[in-house]
Amino acid sequence: MGKRKYTIGVDFGTESGRAVLVEVATGKELASAVYAYQNSVIDETLPGTRIRLEPDWALQDPEDYIRTFKRTIPAVLKQTGVDPADVIGVGIDFTACTMLPVKADGTPLCVLPAYRRNPHAWVKLWKHHAAQPEADKINDTARRLGEAWLDRYGGKISSEWFFAKTLQILDEAPDIYAAADRLIEAADWVIWQLTGEEKRNSCTAGYKAMWSKREGYPGAHYFAALDPRLEHVVDDKLSRTIYPIGDRAGGLTPQAARWTGLRPGTAVAIANVDAHVSVPAATVTEPGRMVMIMGTSICHMVLGREEHTVEGMCGYVEDGIIPGIFGYEAGQSGVGDIFAWFVDHTVPPAYHTAARKHKVDLHRLLEQEAAKLKPGESGLLALDWWNGNRSVLVDVDLTGLLFGATLATKAPEMYRALIEATAFGTRVIVEAFDQNGVPVNELVACGGLPEKNKLLMQIYADVTGREIKVTASKQTPALGSAMFGAVAAGCAAGGYDSIFEAAQHMAHLKKETFKPIPANQQVYDKLYAEYVALYDYFGRGANDVMKRLKQLKADVLAA
Amino acid sequence: MGKRKYTIGVDFGTESGRAVLVEVATGKELASAVYAYQNSVIDETLPGTRIRLEPDWALQDPEDYIRTFKRTIPAVLKQTGVDPADVIGVGIDFTACTMLPVKADGTPLCVLPAYRRNPHAWVKLWKHHAAQPEADKINDTARRLGEAWLDRYGGKISSEWFFAKTLQILDEAPDIYAAADRLIEAADWVIWQLTGEEKRNSCTAGYKAMWSKREGYPGAHYFAALDPRLEHVVDDKLSRTIYPIGDRAGGLTPQAARWTGLRPGTAVAIANVDAHVSVPAATVTEPGRMVMIMGTSICHMVLGREEHTVEGMCGYVEDGIIPGIFGYEAGQSGVGDIFAWFVDHTVPPAYHTAARKHKVDLHRLLEQEAAKLKPGESGLLALDWWNGNRSVLVDVDLTGLLFGATLATKAPEMYRALIEATAFGTRVIVEAFDQNGVPVNELVACGGLPEKNKLLMQIYADVTGREIKVTASKQTPALGSAMFGAVAAGCAAGGYDSIFEAAQHMAHLKKETFKPIPANQQVYDKLYAEYVALYDYFGRGANDVMKRLKQLKADVLAA
């Protein structure tokens, strides 16, 4: 055994960036450091100006990403005293689709005085939701032309994705579009800043930009139909060379070495996405085990050796998660968000007082009270559509529903019913995969929720009828990025030659797992049947009351 | 014009009794006095004992009724200085069915030491809910025998009613049943105490004891089928002589004159029921105008000259409300109760703080916030079944439903949606009558809610498309009883010869009315169509999920 080697993963989140320094041999996380972005999420006025943004806009400042490198990597080196010479690789993951227009040398348009006051020159964050008309046009045009790639995305492209944002720039700021030599995912842009090389990754290209390994991007005829000015967008402003997850992007430039305190030439991995990079960090590098990244929403990831169309998934991408395998993604658009809404908007003062008295978080108090109930005892049932339904219905216009309330209904009962509803929503997704050729035998959970709420985890096990394991790491995206850093360095440098090997050594699960309790499963099977009947009735067109209510609301507000 | 004359109405409520002294010529309420029952609602232990009651029991002490006379009537005389010689009549109204077993001389069994420790010897209050098995048997037997009278009650007899309570006594305390020479409504019992005459009224007989003017009680064959020991219950313990509302029961006995400070012989009206007596006090003595007594629940009363079967009504009774006319009753089992549940169980601290800061009731604060919303703006829709559905579905196993919630949904929006849901529930009832030969052209509201919540009243007008008038009196039951007191006295004594005349002079409406706003009506027509679709889907068997959830709850709790 040679000297101990280390790798660093940097996870670029919505509000902050986080670096984690990890021991290559064991996956042990030795230190982490967080940088809260100076300009955070820009959704009111452009920094340093009074220029107001319209509703649904969400921007970021690319200089915050560089500051993340400058603040966090030196910090973890300092905390641990690790010799930079022993840090063999760096990997990063990012929110996506988070994209920006840049000059040919990589300079973001928003740092140039000529463009700085134009909102379209800035980074469009994943949750920038102002490109819905453009997404509608993308979908309508694809359907009209019978584009086969639409099936890979469950039949619908999201307004959050790359070409919706691109088209919005073209529609609203053709000068910015013209000035942009390149349009690029922030994930790939930070790799460019570290290595001096523009190398685009297969994950964002596949999941967010309609690219596939076998067919590439949609054809020029499609882009021309979308807008004649877009006909050559891929060749003009993107790239047809896409690098698979797990490749080495290059070595740190001398400048990036100065930012970080690492050595020039340190291996840098191809960029990745926060959710997707969590999969190998959750020990999953083969089909059959679904990873759930559980937080405000849930991202469901499962691998498959074959191509299958599964209703309502967000996408499937070869090389999208693990090289050489199809990565399938699905999602629930509201989970922790719904519990947070409940706690903020419907819990009376007595529970707040009790939580303060017992010095526990209000979620924890409600969990404790809800845990005293048996499955089925509340008489309640909910449809978890407070934030629409991503998989499998792909319908943002669906809304939440609470069933079975009486004058005796209390907050912990409603809280439990909402947890159960999200578990039923996961079961729909699990069964959609499992019954369409993408087996799901076991669940692996990571993210904030599994740490916070054991009742929720047990309910998910009982509802899905599957054992749930939990990742040992609390920062799986950063760990996953660090793992890819070790792979970029390769075995010869003290790393690994594949993400499979890296996962074997570096990714770990907790000993404690959640196993289905048969008595609970029996009750939940009955409730799930009711859930599915309501899901289909309100979600598949038998009664479109939710959409009519939304439309009426829009009409009333417009009147 | 002779000397001013007065009449006294006494309203026996659930927690207290109230006397109001009223000027005969004008209906002006000169004074009122309330007596809070010493033993209130007896639902835990029998007074002066450790004898525990079972769940769902609710008893009262008949001595509290006598104390009400002794405390309140002298008090209103004293407050006003009115000469007892100028008080020409007394009327009373009561909750119903509230009934008790007594000896032949009217002595309640519960005051006799031999029976005092037996719960069945006491008054069974209207909300005594322990006779459901007996009600089920009454309904099953009636359906089996094809009893036509069942149709008059929307096809279902309630566990609250007279023979369910009677049968429970027989089932559980045959000794009490045997010792009871008479079984009698408390309404009629207090008239007996005032006048020395057992005279039973047509309102409780009709609405609560399956009696009708044309057919009398169900036949002995039916009672024998119910239980052989009940075959002659009517002749043995009730009476076939039923006096119409509006008749004179008799004159005050010397003893009752001593209790009250009134003159012996003062005219006393036949007893009445709190809800029904409110109808003439709300100026309604003819068909076409529906009275809504709006509080924790809503009681809907409308008059008709013909006999019509209307789905889900609580009953129709000739002479039941106004002599010579059919009185139709329907109801919503949860209205103010639902708003109270909402305020108690789902309003977060910020609203409580704001209410305290602005020194307003929390309901008022929510009303103010909800009033800022346009109809349809919340995107929410509810089914108002938190306490089951009385009319028109007559189904206690239905439960509440809230539709259309999003992560942006706030408490005032939900509060307004619940108000709207109860208004839609009223519209279903109004239309059921209106479309089945019992016209409803206008609504007259009384009770607590119209005073408290103007937004609610406007919403009811907008939703029903009918003008709503509001009674001038805040104590319509007591006023109505006083009016019947004046009728019992008759014109010759300075009163009136009919309730029609009494209503013309003594009953008044406020000037302010609530008229439908056409723009709101348009939106509410759309929402009502959605409400009805959900009402039918979940209430009429297409999807019995609510009942299955209730059954599952019961199974789980029993396991």
Side-chain angles (χ1 to χ4, degrees):
Chain A
M1 284 260 299
K3 200 158 174 248
R4 285 205 175 136
K5 299 297 182 189
Y6 303 93
T7 171
I8 291 175
V10 185
D11 167 41
F12 290 88
T14 300
E15 311 271 351
S16 62
R18 167 189 302 263
V20 177
L21 188 146
V22 183
E23 192 174 72
V24 170
T26 60
K28 190 172 172 192
E29 296 162 21
L30 299 182
S32 68
V34 175
Y35 171 66
Y37 301 146
Q38 185 181 308
N39 284 316
S40 190
V41 178
I42 303 166
D43 53 11
E44 299 194 346
T45 54
L46 279 190
T49 77
R50 291 184 182 174
I51 299 166
R52 292 200 65 82
L53 301 179
E54 295 191 27
D56 295 329
W57 276 64
L59 305 179
Q60 282 192 328
D61 178 356
E63 297 190 85
D64 272 330
Y65 310 145
I66 302 302
R67 283 191 283 267
T68 297
F69 286 131
K70 289 180 179 173
R71 305 287 176 91
T72 62
I73 294 181
V76 295
L77 290 173
K78 190 174 174 196
Q79 280 176 56
T80 55
V82 160
D83 180 348
D86 294 326
V87 177
I88 60 171
V90 175
I92 73 103
D93 63 271
F94 226 100
T95 63
C97 164
T98 293
M99 57 86 77
L100 67 163
V102 301
K103 299 305 288 182
D105 65 356
T107 307
L109 293 193
C110 65
V111 308
L112 299 173
Y115 307 109
R116 193 161 176 77
R117 296 174 62 82
N118 189 323
H120 281 291
W122 293 70
V123 178
K124 288 192 166 62
L125 184 60
W126 67 275
K127 67 176 179 176
H128 174 89
H129 284 144
Q132 189 60 53
E134 287 77 10
D136 293 343
K137 195 172 174 191
I138 285 171
N139 287 312
D140 293 345
T141 306
R143 277 190 288 266
R144 186 162 51 80
L145 299 187
E147 296 287 300
W149 49 263
L150 199 58
D151 283 347
R152 291 203 310 269
Y153 304 97
K156 213 177 265 183
I157 298 300
S158 162
S159 73
E160 291 181 3
W161 295 356
F162 196 88
F163 288 110
K165 285 170 169 155
T166 295
L167 187 52
Q168 195 196 5
I169 297 175
L170 178 62
D171 282 345
E172 300 179 6
D175 55 327
I176 295 290
Y177 183 80
D181 297 319
R182 320 294 293 154
L183 293 167
I184 190 165
E185 281 279 350
D188 293 327
W189 182 79
V190 299
I191 294 301
W192 189 354
Q193 302 314 299
L194 289 183
T195 64
E197 302 196 50
E198 180 194 345
K199 286 192 170 173
R200 295 173 184 240
N201 77 85
S202 56
C203 181
T204 54
Y207 286 105
K208 311 295 177 186
M210 292 130 64
W211 170 89
S212 88
K213 188 176 179 178
R214 299 180 190 204
E215 297 171 16
Y217 285 99
H221 72 282
Y222 170 75
F223 286 111
L226 200 54
D227 190 304
R229 297 168 292 174
L230 274 187
E231 184 171 2
H232 302 296
V233 61
V234 173
D235 294 310
D236 288 352
K237 299 183 192 282
L238 279 69
S239 167
R240 295 197 185 273
T241 309
I242 302 296
Y243 293 84
I245 294 298
D247 266 21
R248 180 178 190 275
L252 279 188
T253 62
Q255 183 187 41
R258 283 193 300 278
W259 293 343
T260 58
L262 296 173
R263 302 235 297 208
T266 304
V268 176
I270 286 293
N272 217 316
V273 175
D274 48 8
H276 304 70
V277 80
S278 297
V279 175
T283 75
V284 172
T285 53
E286 76 294 339
R289 298 165 70 216
M290 177 182 272
V291 176
M292 303 192 295
I293 297 124
M294 306 177 75
T296 54
S297 59
I298 296 183
C299 205
H300 307 76
M301 307 272 181
V302 61
L303 302 171
R305 300 218 178 270
E306 295 156 21
E307 216 167 337
H308 292 284
T309 298
V310 178
E311 183 194 16
M313 77 188 124
C314 306
Y316 65 85
V317 175
E318 195 172 358
D319 294 352
I321 298 175
I322 299 292
I325 311 184
F326 288 97
Y328 289 85
E329 181 187 349
Q332 280 173 273
S333 43
V335 181
D337 264 359
I338 301 180
F339 313 144
W341 171 85
F342 182 81
V343 161
D344 289 347
H345 293 289
T346 73
V347 178
Y351 293 92
H352 291 260
T353 306
R356 275 195 300 276
K357 187 179 160 197
H358 296 104
K359 296 192 170 59
V360 295
D361 176 80
L362 190 48
H363 282 278
R364 179 88 184 112
L365 180 89
L366 289 168
E367 180 202 344
Q368 287 168 352
E369 292 300 311
K372 296 175 186 166
L373 299 164
K374 297 179 188 176
E377 180 177 339
S378 71
L380 299 173
L381 182 63
L383 287 182
D384 52 318
W385 296 346
W386 265 250
N387 196 22
N389 176 292
R390 191 172 300 157
S391 303
V392 301
L393 299 171
V394 199
D395 194 334
V396 296
D397 289 328
L398 297 175
T399 51
L401 180 159
L402 181 72
F403 237 88
T406 73
L407 296 175
T409 297
K410 294 198 166 53
E413 294 175 309
M414 294 189 269
Y415 189 71
R416 183 171 179 129
L418 293 177
I419 291 174
E420 290 169 346
T422 64
F424 296 140
T426 280
R427 179 164 166 180
V428 170
I429 291 167
V430 166
E431 296 194 348
F433 279 114
D434 205 49
Q435 292 163 8
N436 286 286
V438 185
V440 179
N441 305 317
E442 186 182 279
L443 304 173
V444 182
C446 59
L449 278 180
E451 296 294 326
K452 287 185 203 150
N453 196 323
K454 288 196 191 312
L455 171 67
L456 176 141
M457 298 308 295
Q458 185 59 51
I459 289 173
Y460 272 59
D462 292 341
V463 165
T464 60
R466 281 158 174 87
E467 184 173 359
I468 307 184
K469 295 178 176 168
V470 179
T471 57
S473 174
K474 291 178 187 176
Q475 36 205 2
T476 40
L479 171 62
S481 289
M483 287 163 59
F484 277 106
V487 174
C491 186
Y496 299 103
D497 279 343
S498 75
I499 191 67
F500 304 97
E501 282 173 37
Q504 274 180 344
H505 294 92
M506 298 179 72
H508 305 286
L509 298 174
K510 289 188 178 178
K511 277 192 183 161
E512 184 192 10
T513 74
F514 298 89
K515 291 196 180 70
I517 297 167
N520 293 353
Q521 276 183 272
Q522 276 190 7
V523 176
Y524 280 132
D525 281 350
K526 288 180 190 166
L527 286 171
Y528 180 67
E530 302 292 356
Y531 175 89
V532 168
L534 295 172
Y535 190 101
D536 289 345
Y537 183 70
F538 291 113
R540 296 185 189 276
N543 187 342
D544 277 337
V545 51
M546 290 170 179
K547 296 177 189 209
R548 289 191 297 268
L549 291 174
K550 266 208 163 175
Q551 187 58 51
L552 185 61
K553 174 183 181 139
D555 293 347
V556 162
L557 287 174
Chain B
M1 286 260 296
K3 197 157 175 258
R4 283 203 177 139
K5 299 297 182 189
Y6 304 92
T7 172
I8 291 175
V10 185
D11 167 42
F12 290 88
T14 301
E15 310 271 352
S16 62
R18 166 189 303 264
V20 177
L21 188 144
V22 182
E23 193 175 71
V24 169
T26 60
K28 189 174 174 193
E29 296 162 22
L30 299 182
S32 68
V34 174
Y35 170 65
Y37 302 147
Q38 183 180 309
N39 284 316
S40 189
V41 177
I42 303 167
D43 54 10
E44 298 194 346
T45 55
L46 280 189
T49 76
R50 292 184 183 172
I51 298 166
R52 292 201 66 82
L53 301 179
E54 296 192 28
D56 294 330
W57 277 63
L59 306 178
Q60 281 192 327
D61 178 357
E63 297 190 87
D64 273 329
Y65 309 145
I66 302 303
R67 283 191 284 266
T68 295
F69 287 130
K70 289 180 179 172
R71 305 289 176 88
T72 63
I73 294 180
V76 294
L77 289 173
K78 192 174 170 193
Q79 280 177 55
T80 55
V82 160
D83 182 348
D86 294 326
V87 177
I88 61 170
V90 175
I92 73 101
D93 64 271
F94 227 100
T95 63
C97 164
T98 293
M99 58 86 78
L100 67 163
V102 302
K103 299 305 290 180
D105 65 356
T107 307
L109 294 194
C110 65
V111 308
L112 300 173
Y115 307 109
R116 192 160 176 78
R117 296 176 62 83
N118 189 323
H120 280 292
W122 293 69
V123 179
K124 287 191 167 61
L125 184 60
W126 67 275
K127 66 175 179 176
H128 174 89
H129 283 144
Q132 189 61 52
E134 287 76 9
D136 293 343
K137 195 172 174 188
I138 286 170
N139 288 313
D140 292 345
T141 306
R143 276 191 289 267
R144 186 161 52 80
L145 299 186
E147 296 286 302
W149 49 263
L150 199 58
D151 283 346
R152 293 203 308 270
Y153 303 98
K156 211 177 265 185
I157 299 300
S158 161
S159 74
E160 291 181 4
W161 295 358
F162 196 88
F163 288 109
K165 284 170 168 154
T166 296
L167 187 52
Q168 195 197 4
I169 297 174
L170 179 62
D171 282 344
E172 299 177 8
D175 54 326
I176 295 291
Y177 183 81
D181 298 321
R182 318 296 290 155
L183 293 167
I184 190 165
E185 280 280 350
D188 293 328
W189 182 79
V190 298
I191 293 301
W192 191 354
Q193 302 313 299
L194 289 182
T195 64
E197 301 196 52
E198 179 194 344
K199 287 193 168 172
R200 295 173 185 241
N201 77 84
S202 57
C203 180
T204 54
Y207 286 104
K208 311 295 177 186
M210 291 127 67
W211 170 88
S212 87
K213 188 176 181 179
R214 299 181 189 202
E215 298 169 15
Y217 285 99
H221 71 283
Y222 170 75
F223 286 111
L226 200 53
D227 190 304
R229 297 167 293 175
L230 274 187
E231 184 171 2
H232 302 296
V233 61
V234 173
D235 294 311
D236 289 352
K237 299 184 193 282
L238 278 70
S239 166
R240 295 198 185 273
T241 310
I242 303 295
Y243 294 84
I245 293 298
D247 267 21
R248 181 178 189 276
L252 277 188
T253 63
Q255 182 188 42
R258 283 194 301 276
W259 292 344
T260 57
L262 296 173
R263 303 236 296 208
T266 304
V268 176
I270 286 293
N272 217 317
V273 175
D274 47 8
H276 303 69
V277 79
S278 298
V279 174
T283 77
V284 172
T285 54
E286 76 294 338
R289 299 165 69 217
M290 177 181 272
V291 176
M292 302 194 293
I293 297 124
M294 306 177 76
T296 54
S297 59
I298 296 183
C299 204
H300 307 78
M301 309 272 184
V302 61
L303 302 169
R305 301 217 176 270
E306 297 157 19
E307 218 167 334
H308 291 283
T309 298
V310 179
E311 183 193 16
M313 78 189 123
C314 306
Y316 67 84
V317 175
E318 195 172 358
D319 294 352
I321 297 174
I322 299 293
I325 312 184
F326 288 97
Y328 290 85
E329 181 188 349
Q332 280 174 273
S333 43
V335 181
D337 265 358
I338 300 179
F339 312 145
W341 170 84
F342 182 80
V343 160
D344 289 346
H345 292 290
T346 72
V347 178
Y351 294 93
H352 292 261
T353 307
R356 276 195 300 275
K357 186 179 160 197
H358 297 104
K359 296 191 170 61
V360 295
D361 176 82
L362 190 48
H363 282 279
R364 179 89 185 109
L365 179 88
L366 289 168
E367 180 202 344
Q368 288 168 350
E369 293 299 313
K372 296 175 185 167
L373 299 164
K374 297 179 188 175
E377 180 178 338
S378 71
L380 299 174
L381 182 62
L383 287 181
D384 52 319
W385 297 347
W386 265 249
N387 197 22
N389 176 291
R390 191 173 298 159
S391 303
V392 303
L393 299 171
V394 199
D395 195 333
V396 296
D397 289 328
L398 296 176
T399 51
L401 180 158
L402 181 71
F403 236 87
T406 72
L407 296 175
T409 297
K410 295 199 167 50
E413 294 175 309
M414 293 189 269
Y415 189 73
R416 182 169 180 132
L418 293 176
I419 291 174
E420 290 168 346
T422 65
F424 295 139
T426 280
R427 180 164 166 181
V428 169
I429 292 167
V430 166
E431 295 195 348
F433 280 115
D434 206 49
Q435 291 163 8
N436 285 285
V438 185
V440 180
N441 306 319
E442 185 181 279
L443 304 174
V444 182
C446 60
L449 277 180
E451 296 294 328
K452 285 183 203 153
N453 196 324
K454 288 196 193 311
L455 170 67
L456 177 140
M457 298 307 294
Q458 185 58 52
I459 289 173
Y460 272 59
D462 292 339
V463 165
T464 61
R466 281 157 173 88
E467 183 172 1
I468 307 183
K469 296 178 175 169
V470 179
T471 57
S473 174
K474 292 179 187 178
Q475 36 203 2
T476 41
L479 172 62
S481 289
M483 287 164 60
F484 277 107
V487 174
C491 186
Y496 299 103
D497 278 345
S498 75
I499 191 65
F500 303 97
E501 284 173 34
Q504 274 177 345
H505 294 93
M506 298 178 73
H508 305 284
L509 299 174
K510 290 187 178 177
K511 278 193 182 157
E512 185 193 7
T513 73
F514 298 88
K515 293 194 178 74
I517 297 167
N520 293 354
Q521 274 182 272
Q522 278 191 4
V523 176
Y524 281 132
D525 281 349
K526 289 181 190 166
L527 285 171
Y528 180 67
E530 302 292 354
Y531 175 89
V532 169
L534 295 172
Y535 190 101
D536 289 345
Y537 183 70
F538 291 112
R540 296 186 190 276
N543 186 344
D544 278 337
V545 51
M546 291 169 179
K547 294 176 188 205
R548 288 191 297 269
L549 290 174
K550 264 209 165 176
Q551 186 59 51
L552 185 62
K553 174 181 182 142
D555 294 347
V556 162
L557 287 174

